[in-house]
Amino acid sequence: MLSIQQTTFNGIDDLNLTQINKPVLTKNGVLIKMDLAPITPTDIKREINPNATTESFAELPRTIGFSGVGTVIEVGYNRDQSLLDQRVFIMQPTGSYSDYVLSENSDWLFPLPDNVDNASATTLTATPLVLLNSIKKYQNAGITDFILTGANSVIGQYLLQLIDPNENIHIYPIVSSASKDYFSQQFPNLQSYTTDTLPSFNNAAILDIAGSTALISRLVSKISSPVLTSIALMSYEDNIPFQFVHEEFDRDVYQNLIQKLADRQLFAPIDRIFSATQIKDAQHYTQENHSRGRVLVSFN
Ligand SMILES: NC(=O)c1ccc[n+]([C@@H]2O[C@H](COP(=O)([O-])OP(=O)(O)OC[C@H]3O[C@@H](n4cnc5c(N)ncnc54)[C@H](OP(=O)(O)O)[C@@H]3O)[C@@H](O)[C@H]2O)c1
């Protein structure tokens, strides 16, 4: 079967499309024929830096990818037999970019309701929960103004959809001029800002998804007492209160997001779908273009 493997830290062009044996079903396993897997900026960072994330991905070769969607084709003796033929979203930290994946952790497998399509579910690879938690923490400290960088990113769009409109929270989405029209199309009722159009603040929290220190320092200059939370930068040089936050897997959060997709309370931002054999083109496309939704890779 096809598997996409990282064998060096030289980046996208060193990825290997290789044939390996199909996994053998175990008593605790579920064999899945993969359909779609997402490309995230984190995937691309891991291909050049063994310390790109707090998890260790230094051991090579490894099958790339962290999650995906497919259909269960075989069920091990100890697993729920009703999973057979079900479409499922899986977290698979040992690699999801293969024709077939053996999923052995039942916490990391989510059967999909009929009205959640595979592509939408595949976008759920990372959630904005850590940023929602940061908002709560800052609210408790009396902050009501939040400046969101990378607002048109996939995580940014999920965050904006999940913020309760009845809360006393003012979000200022920061969007580059190249992404302004896309953002207005996705959120016709939200005004976006650039560093030039953003007003000044006494207290405000910057929620950073974009990971640009140049952008952050321009935003900091507009706030008398800034605080900063980033999901993209692990450190920040300037002398302001800063925290890097990292998502901890929580099954209930994913279950809840899938339900919200089913109930049409959330829409999934999706860009293009590439064939798995075009993985290098797909990752270059992701890296070299502005974010227009999640780029997906198909194993069919
Ligand atoms: N800590 C965690 O737990 C965690 C979990 C998942 C992801 N992440 C990180 O979160 C970030 C966003 O992920 P995503 O999947 O939502 O990414 P995405 O959809 O590709 O979006 C990236 C965003 O960053 C903006 N951006 C990139 N470089 C920029 C720059 N130099 N100046 C201004 N804006 C810039 C992009 O703006 P344009 O589209 O206009 O270019 C876009 O809004 C990534 O860095 C990822 O590694 C962290």
Side-chain angles (χ1 to χ4, degrees):
M1 67 166 187
L2 175 67
S3 169
I4 298 176
Q5 302 215 329
Q6 176 186 354
T7 57
T8 71
F9 287 100
N10 295 335
I12 298 171
D13 294 321
D14 260 13
L15 287 175
N16 261 353
L17 280 75
T18 181
Q19 292 294 325
I20 60 168
N21 291 334
K22 186 174 161 183
V24 176
L25 184 69
T26 56
K27 276 200 287 197
N28 296 323
V30 164
L31 193 63
I32 296 159
K33 169 72 190 82
M34 293 303 288
D35 178 21
L36 294 169
I39 297 177
T40 69
T42 310
D43 293 323
I44 298 173
K45 289 178 200 169
R46 285 184 187 126
E47 290 162 18
I48 50 168
N49 179 0
N51 303 311
T53 59
T54 50
E55 306 98 344
S56 175
F57 286 94
E59 219 168 282
L60 302 181
R62 68 176 191 95
T63 299
I64 66 166
F66 206 86
S67 67
V69 168
T71 300
V72 175
I73 56 162
E74 289 179 34
V75 183
Y77 181 79
N78 293 338
R79 297 292 291 271
D80 175 0
Q81 299 300 308
S82 71
L83 287 170
L84 189 64
D85 295 331
Q86 289 207 40
R87 291 179 309 114
V88 290
F89 169 73
I90 52 162
M91 303 301 287
Q92 186 79 2
T94 51
S96 60
Y97 270 63
S98 291
D99 282 333
Y100 298 88
V101 161
L102 181 69
S103 167
E104 292 192 290
N105 185 334
S106 55
D107 276 350
W108 291 346
L109 181 139
F110 301 84
L112 294 175
D114 286 347
N115 58 348
V116 174
D117 62 272
N118 285 3
S120 296
T122 309
T123 68
L124 294 178
T125 184
T127 80
L129 183 78
V130 281
L131 290 174
L132 285 167
N133 290 342
S134 295
I135 289 175
K136 270 194 210 121
K137 197 188 89 184
Y138 288 135
Q139 270 186 303
N140 291 338
I143 295 175
T144 54
D145 289 324
F146 295 88
I147 298 160
L148 178 66
T149 75
N152 64 302
S153 68
V154 176
I155 294 176
Q157 292 189 55
Y158 272 125
L159 177 72
L160 289 168
Q161 295 179 72
L162 289 167
I163 288 171
D164 182 347
N166 300 316
E167 291 264 0
N168 181 25
I169 295 175
H170 306 290
I171 300 273
Y172 296 82
I174 303 292
V175 176
S176 70
S177 52
S179 297
K180 196 174 185 307
D181 289 349
Y182 170 69
F183 184 82
S184 311
Q185 184 192 309
Q186 299 292 92
F187 295 94
N189 300 323
L190 283 184
Q191 184 181 350
S192 67
Y193 297 83
T194 63
T195 46
D196 291 334
T197 59
L198 188 73
S200 296
F201 300 87
N202 284 329
N203 291 307
I206 300 169
L207 305 173
D208 174 50
I209 295 176
S212 160
T213 48
L215 173 62
I216 293 170
S217 73
R218 290 200 298 279
L219 296 174
V220 163
S221 71
K222 298 241 169 173
I223 312 167
S224 308
S225 301
V227 288
L228 167 64
T229 287
S230 179
I231 63 165
L233 295 177
M234 291 198 224
S235 61
Y236 184 70
E237 294 297 310
D238 205 353
N239 193 22
I240 61 168
F242 166 78
Q243 60 169 355
F244 166 70
V245 288
H246 184 258
E247 182 176 4
E248 299 291 338
F249 175 77
D250 180 341
R251 183 175 172 83
D252 290 347
V253 170
Y254 281 86
Q255 200 64 71
N256 188 261
L257 290 175
I258 290 168
Q259 194 53 51
K260 282 188 155 55
L261 284 174
D263 296 341
R264 303 288 178 259
Q265 289 172 15
L266 278 182
F267 64 81
I270 300 164
D271 189 355
R272 281 178 60 178
I273 301 182
F274 288 81
S275 147
T277 53
Q278 298 172 296
I279 181 63
K280 294 180 192 180
D281 292 340
Q283 288 203 355
H284 277 296
Y285 172 86
T286 305
Q287 190 174 51
E288 290 151 25
N289 288 283
H290 298 289
S291 179
R292 298 291 177 263
R294 192 62 77 208
V295 176
L296 309 180
V297 168
S298 165
F299 285 84
N300 276 322

